[in-house]
Amino acid sequence: MASEIKSRFTDTEMQIARETDLPDLLTHLGYQVKRIGQYHTAAEMDSLRIKDRRTWFRYSQGIGGDAITFLQQFCDKTFPEAVEYLLTFQGKARDAPVKTKPVTKQDEPPKEFALPPRNVDDRRVFAYLRKRGIAPQVILQFLNSGLLYEDAEYHNCVFVGKDATGQAKYAGLRGTYDQNGKGFRGDVTGSDKRVGFALPYDRSSDQVFVFEAPIDLMSYLTLHRNTQNALALCGLYDGALQAYLRNNPQIKRIVLCLDMDTPGQETAEQLRKKYAEMGYEISQEKPRIGKDWNEYLQKRKVLERGR
């Protein structure tokens, strides 16, 4: 069946589709594309890596491919629909010799952001985060400040990001049923990636600690209770850090605490150079073991029990 579908297109047409410039395509689809080192990524999918402008891989899901597979995975298109779309995008549609603009997400009205309904209690979220090693005091700190709660329908952790006026503009979701850190993750529709998950700002300090994920931030606070200012980017896009620094000009020192995997460390190096050039004092703090601060927290507890 697959060979029959592919036979609808000539070899030349297939080559045109597969060699579509992915940064251009994603920009056309409405994604915020940016370059990080030798790769491109998107603010909406921070674990996405585009290499040589033709191939992509998404680390969080362990999938990748070319422009055709991207449209199949993220735009719900069948194989022939994806190829036709790309041919049209490149001005090579069979019935349209003049380049036309296909209908894209950019043409759709943006969806409004709304927090998921809150559950009557936060028992599952509390139990889940305790299982991940987070201290009860840290969990309660975020629950009481309205930055964390349990959603009513799926019982996910909802990590709330608020702007400078205190309005919720971002919400990250984390499933409470995952095993070994591989459960559901996602952002609430309409979330603004320029707003991160952060401790309420403490003006007595000119330093901020920067993490990838809310759980890593909470893990670090479990280990270092006197931390005053901390921000989770909710990915690798630094839009939240830009806004944080703009809203808090007293900050002079940035401590990067990103993951120890390749994307995290590549991004840390990029951010180190970028913000050093802007005049900030930049340092980096790395977990002694594990790929991130939550993994370190859990392994540290195991090592301590074994002593």
Side-chain angles (χ1 to χ4, degrees):
M1 183 66 181
S3 61
E4 290 179 9
I5 292 175
K6 292 184 180 181
S7 67
R8 298 180 190 177
F9 305 99
T10 66
D11 290 342
T12 300
E13 287 173 330
M14 290 299 301
Q15 183 176 0
I16 290 171
R18 289 196 174 103
E19 293 185 356
T20 299
D21 186 289
L22 282 168
D24 286 350
L25 175 65
L26 266 66
T27 299
H28 182 71
L29 290 169
Y31 291 95
Q32 299 178 61
V33 178
K34 64 177 292 186
R35 187 181 183 91
I36 299 179
Q38 299 180 353
Y39 302 90
H40 285 82
T41 187
E44 296 82 359
M45 292 190 285
D46 47 79
S47 68
L48 178 73
R49 289 293 178 270
I50 298 172
K51 185 178 180 181
D52 300 327
R53 306 185 73 94
R54 299 293 184 273
T55 59
W56 63 274
F57 188 82
R58 193 175 187 189
Y59 285 86
S60 64
Q61 297 182 357
I63 56 176
D66 54 21
I68 299 172
T69 54
F70 185 90
L71 292 179
Q72 288 178 282
Q73 287 288 334
F74 302 111
C75 298
D76 296 321
K77 293 188 181 296
T78 64
F79 181 90
E81 287 173 342
V83 176
E84 291 282 7
Y85 184 99
L86 294 171
L87 292 174
T88 302
F89 174 71
Q90 303 222 52
K92 304 295 183 180
R94 295 172 174 182
D95 57 351
V98 179
K99 186 171 183 176
T100 60
K101 268 185 100 171
V103 176
T104 69
K105 292 196 312 182
Q106 219 169 21
D107 302 318
E108 300 174 0
K111 295 181 180 178
E112 292 187 8
F113 171 77
L115 289 172
R118 183 166 190 158
N119 195 40
V120 293
D121 59 52
D122 303 297
R123 289 186 300 108
R124 296 188 201 187
V125 163
F126 191 90
Y128 170 74
L129 293 174
R130 286 293 296 127
K131 184 179 70 174
R132 299 294 297 267
I134 312 297
Q137 302 94 315
V138 174
I139 301 171
L140 290 172
Q141 177 182 359
F142 284 97
L143 288 173
N144 293 337
S145 63
L147 296 173
L148 170 68
Y149 68 92
E150 181 177 320
D151 87 74
E153 186 173 5
Y154 300 108
H155 303 286
N156 293 316
C157 300
V158 182
F159 299 101
V160 181
K162 296 183 179 181
D163 65 11
T165 68
Q167 294 295 310
K169 296 293 183 181
Y170 168 85
L173 305 175
R174 182 66 184 254
T176 54
Y177 299 108
D178 68 320
Q179 306 225 341
N180 302 318
K182 299 191 183 206
F184 169 74
R185 305 182 196 186
D187 294 340
V188 171
T189 300
S191 287
D192 187 345
K193 293 291 281 188
R194 295 168 297 179
V195 177
F197 176 80
L199 280 173
Y201 181 64
D202 185 339
R203 294 181 179 276
S204 67
S205 173
D206 67 350
Q207 185 178 51
V208 62
F209 292 78
V210 181
F211 302 85
E212 283 188 36
I215 286 181
D216 290 318
L217 184 157
M218 296 176 75
S219 298
Y220 189 88
L221 292 183
T222 297
L223 296 163
H224 306 278
R225 300 290 175 82
N226 61 346
T227 303
Q228 293 166 291
N229 293 311
L231 166 71
L233 302 176
C234 303
L236 291 173
Y237 172 55
D238 70 328
L241 179 56
Q242 295 175 43
Y244 188 92
L245 297 174
R246 188 165 54 248
N247 295 327
N248 303 296
Q250 300 89 345
I251 294 292
K252 306 299 179 188
R253 296 179 292 154
I254 301 171
V255 183
L256 299 173
C257 306
L258 305 187
D259 290 2
M260 294 301 295
D261 56 12
T262 298
Q265 290 306 295
E266 285 181 351
T267 301
E269 180 60 19
Q270 291 294 317
L271 298 184
R272 186 190 66 77
K273 292 178 180 177
K274 175 179 178 177
Y275 288 97
E277 290 175 357
M278 295 168 65
Y280 291 96
E281 180 184 322
I282 309 294
S283 59
Q284 189 170 3
E285 191 166 348
K286 302 178 180 180
R288 295 176 187 173
I289 53 176
K291 84 168 192 66
D292 57 38
W293 286 97
N294 185 248
E295 189 170 312
Y296 168 57
L297 175 64
Q298 295 188 69
K299 288 186 175 181
R300 181 174 177 268
K301 287 181 177 294
V302 171
L303 290 174
E304 287 178 348
R305 285 198 297 268
R307 288 176 183 173

